[in-house]
Amino acid sequence: RTCCRELHEGAAFSSLALGEPGKVERYARTIIENVPFEDSLVAQALHVKSLLGAARYAETIATGLAVLRLLKFDVPSAPTPMAVYKTMIETGNVTSKYTSDQITNLKQTSINARKRNILKIVDGVVLACYRESSPYLPLVACAMVKYSLQNGVCEESATAFVVYGYFKIFVQENFEEGRRWGDIALKILDSNLAFTPMTLYGFLLFWFIPHQKVANVLIDTYEAGMSVGDVDGAMYALCVSMRFSFFGGVNLSLLSQSYVKALKQMVKFCKESAKFAIVDLLIIQGLTGVDYFAFSVFEGMIQDEDVLLANAKLKKHRQVLEIIYSRRFFSAFWFGEFAEANKWYDQSLTFPSMKMPKIQLIYHTFYRGIIAYQMYRDGEGEEWLDEGKKALDRMEVWSKKASKAIFENKLYLLEAEHYASNCNIVAAKESYELSAKSARDHGVVHEQGLAYELYGKFLSSVSELDASDWFERAHGCYIQWGAAAKAAQL
């Protein structure tokens, strides 16, 4: 029986490396159905991984939670807001007894196979919860933080620490504690794994590190994942890396080449990541004016974004729906189609995950604030001034608690829009120029162009003759960014 089980485990591992989740599930189920529960933990972890690879997120969560409860983990059956809040408080009471050094010193050089497999199951459940926007996510993370502190910390504990830090920021807006747990995870994680570093940098430490540095780390993560057969993790790391490069202002012509090359690999190994990447590429396509025929990689299965949207609605794939709505919001914003942008912004808000702290949240807030002030000055109603002020207030909090390189120019630009909306011409001029200077100093040429464009628009509205000079500067920045279609519109 042992030999048969190990052969099936080997076949499942091979199928996982080849990106064949259906075969992984079949081999794993055979083991689970024919051996005692304690002997099936490798197969249980593989089963969770197979469901995740097939984008069956609800099943992944249900299966993983069932296994964790059989292992006597205390995960509440009803993930109500009160249960989440109570669990976060209880976990905080436990973690407050440890310093960061004490936690990292709990790291074990080796752990038994049982614990490692349990933590692999948790990794799969965590990722599924994130993609499904499940309220179980903080509950699972808290359970695993306490488990690790009680049973010894290991490399696989890092994922739970990252998610716990993530919710310290999301639930309690405690950026200091969020970063502390990110730093702890950084000290204990295995650099050869892709999933945990991708989660750490892509969903937690990005608040504190400039976007392009995050993108570079995630490229290294992609390469490390591919070298050890963590194909799914590697593909998502690559996808998130390119997204950070886009928001970081990398030249769009060069970035589009990276997307086109990456899509061929993603379709082969992880079609779900390809769906995310192709939607991101559509933003670039609109800005550059170049048709990359991106959907051809699906060989007729998905012809365009509307088909992808219809499939996502049919399958209730929330993250694909969210990223499509976000893409349409971003594209409409950059071309000044504010009514259209607001439509897609409102659509995207129907998903709870939109309010969670991730890179898109920064730009939803930033762009929505600009749109709100513009709508107010266009006479669309007093409520838009209040909406703009909400975005400004949020940016002020972030700029104090997170990276100056990311938030300083955005704060100045929202301040400029606020002053402009309140007819404070002198203060508005100063803030527009400060925003452009900060963007230039931090290497975000597209946001430098945006500051120049909005400054020119403001000067034009108050009949100042040098408005065209600032439009010309904006045009130059957009050309440097590679956004030829945006530059042509301007």
Side-chain angles (χ1 to χ4, degrees):
R1 177 177 287 186
T2 300
C3 181
C4 187
R5 188 196 74 223
E6 291 176 350
L7 285 170
H8 277 76
E9 289 172 352
F13 278 117
S14 298
S15 300
L16 186 65
L18 292 170
E20 298 174 336
K23 289 185 178 180
V24 178
E25 182 181 12
R26 186 164 67 250
Y27 290 127
R29 279 185 175 277
T30 300
I31 298 169
I32 292 167
E33 292 168 3
N34 289 280
V35 303
F37 175 72
E38 279 295 328
D39 294 337
S40 73
L41 290 181
V42 171
Q44 300 284 1
L46 287 165
H47 186 206
V48 166
K49 193 79 171 177
S50 71
L51 295 172
L52 185 65
R56 291 154 59 184
Y57 303 131
E59 286 183 68
T60 307
I61 296 166
T63 300
L65 289 176
V67 173
L68 292 176
R69 286 180 178 128
L70 286 172
L71 291 164
K72 309 301 182 186
F73 281 86
D74 182 21
V75 180
S77 57
T80 63
M82 183 57 70
V84 171
Y85 181 76
K86 181 181 177 184
T87 301
M88 288 290 293
I89 294 296
E90 290 173 349
T91 307
N93 291 336
V94 174
T95 60
S96 65
K97 299 173 183 177
Y98 298 84
T99 66
S100 297
D101 287 340
Q102 286 174 329
I103 294 171
T104 54
N105 288 337
L106 289 172
K107 183 179 178 182
Q108 301 172 347
T109 55
S110 62
I111 61 170
N112 62 48
R114 183 179 189 273
K115 182 179 178 183
R116 192 175 296 277
N117 287 317
I118 290 170
L119 290 169
K120 286 180 178 179
I121 292 167
V122 172
D123 278 359
V125 175
V126 163
L127 187 51
C129 284
Y130 177 79
R131 292 182 185 156
E132 192 74 3
S133 303
S134 170
Y136 278 111
L137 181 55
L139 299 176
V140 173
C142 286
M144 290 315 301
V145 167
K146 289 184 284 188
Y147 177 80
S148 293
L149 294 178
Q150 292 165 0
N151 295 278
V153 171
C154 64
E155 292 156 356
E156 286 83 357
S157 304
T159 299
F161 292 171
V162 169
V163 177
Y164 182 62
Y166 178 93
F167 278 96
K168 279 290 184 180
I169 292 175
F170 178 45
V171 176
Q172 300 172 340
E173 290 199 341
N174 191 332
F175 283 74
E176 185 178 351
E177 270 294 284
R179 179 153 199 178
R180 180 172 91 94
W181 283 96
D183 289 341
I184 292 169
L186 188 60
K187 291 178 182 177
I188 66 170
L189 64 79
D190 181 351
S191 59
N192 289 321
L193 297 175
F195 171 64
T196 303
M198 186 269 291
T199 308
L200 174 61
Y201 286 97
F203 301 101
L204 180 56
L205 292 184
F206 76 88
W207 290 99
F208 313 102
I209 302 172
H211 294 341
Q212 195 49 47
K213 287 187 178 180
V214 172
N216 293 340
V217 170
L218 292 176
I219 284 292
D220 293 340
T221 298
Y222 153 74
E223 292 172 351
M226 291 299 289
S227 70
V228 297
D230 185 5
V231 178
D232 275 5
M235 292 298 103
Y236 281 107
L238 179 59
C239 179
V240 176
S241 171
M242 293 188 294
R243 184 175 298 160
F244 272 90
S245 290
F246 170 75
F247 286 118
V250 164
N251 179 271
L252 297 180
S253 297
L254 296 176
L255 186 57
S256 64
Q257 294 174 27
S258 298
Y259 267 102
V260 171
K261 181 180 178 182
L263 277 169
K264 296 175 183 177
Q265 195 176 30
M266 290 176 178
V267 165
K268 180 179 179 181
F269 292 114
C270 182
K271 286 187 172 63
E272 289 304 303
S273 65
K275 293 174 183 177
F276 299 136
I278 209 166
V279 174
D280 287 347
L281 180 58
L282 291 179
I283 306 176
I284 299 172
Q285 182 170 294
L287 289 164
T288 60
V290 177
D291 190 341
Y292 302 106
F293 304 101
F295 283 94
S296 63
V297 297
F298 288 112
E299 298 180 341
M301 297 296 292
I302 302 175
Q303 295 84 12
D304 56 33
E305 189 183 55
D306 287 334
V307 174
L308 181 60
L309 179 62
N311 287 342
K313 287 180 177 178
L314 182 65
K315 297 177 181 179
K316 298 181 180 179
H317 196 328
R318 296 177 184 176
Q319 276 212 317
V320 173
L321 291 171
E322 178 199 315
I323 203 165
I324 290 173
Y325 295 155
S326 292
R327 195 284 300 169
R328 294 180 178 185
F329 168 70
F330 293 147
S331 295
F333 167 80
W334 276 109
F335 285 93
E337 300 165 355
F338 295 151
E340 181 75 2
N342 282 328
K343 179 180 80 173
W344 294 113
Y345 178 87
D346 291 340
Q347 288 264 41
S348 65
L349 280 185
T350 61
F351 301 102
S353 59
M354 273 305 307
K355 300 171 186 176
M356 297 173 77
K358 53 188 173 182
I359 190 170
Q360 292 96 317
L361 176 64
I362 295 173
Y363 291 91
H364 275 93
T365 303
F366 181 40
Y367 297 162
R368 173 72 163 188
I370 291 171
I371 290 170
Y373 284 124
Q374 293 284 321
M375 297 284 281
Y376 171 73
R377 297 210 297 278
D378 287 343
E380 295 297 327
E382 292 287 328
E383 67 274 12
W384 288 109
L385 184 61
D386 294 334
E387 188 74 15
K389 187 62 167 59
K390 288 178 186 176
L392 174 58
D393 290 344
R394 201 166 200 186
M395 202 63 67
E396 284 178 341
V397 171
W398 292 344
S399 65
K400 290 175 183 176
K401 296 184 176 181
S403 170
K404 175 181 177 181
I406 300 169
F407 293 103
E408 183 181 67
N409 72 292
K410 297 174 179 64
L411 176 60
Y412 281 139
L413 192 51
L414 286 176
E415 285 179 343
E417 288 289 292
H418 183 76
Y419 291 136
S421 298
N422 286 282
C423 302
N424 190 336
I425 295 175
V426 174
K429 286 182 174 182
E430 181 182 7
S431 291
Y432 281 123
E433 292 181 23
L434 284 171
S435 177
K437 181 181 182 300
S438 177
R440 182 198 65 201
D441 291 347
H442 293 116
V444 281
V445 68
H446 58 316
E447 292 179 5
Q448 183 184 354
L450 181 60
Y452 286 151
E453 179 184 358
L454 293 175
Y455 192 15
K457 191 172 181 180
F458 168 66
L459 292 176
S460 180
S461 73
V462 295
S463 301
E464 294 216 8
L465 297 178
D466 60 346
S468 61
D469 293 340
W470 297 98
F471 284 129
E472 287 177 9
R473 295 187 191 194
H475 182 274
C477 288
Y478 291 144
I479 289 295
Q480 185 181 343
W481 186 28
K486 171 62 185 175
Q489 182 211 38
L490 187 62

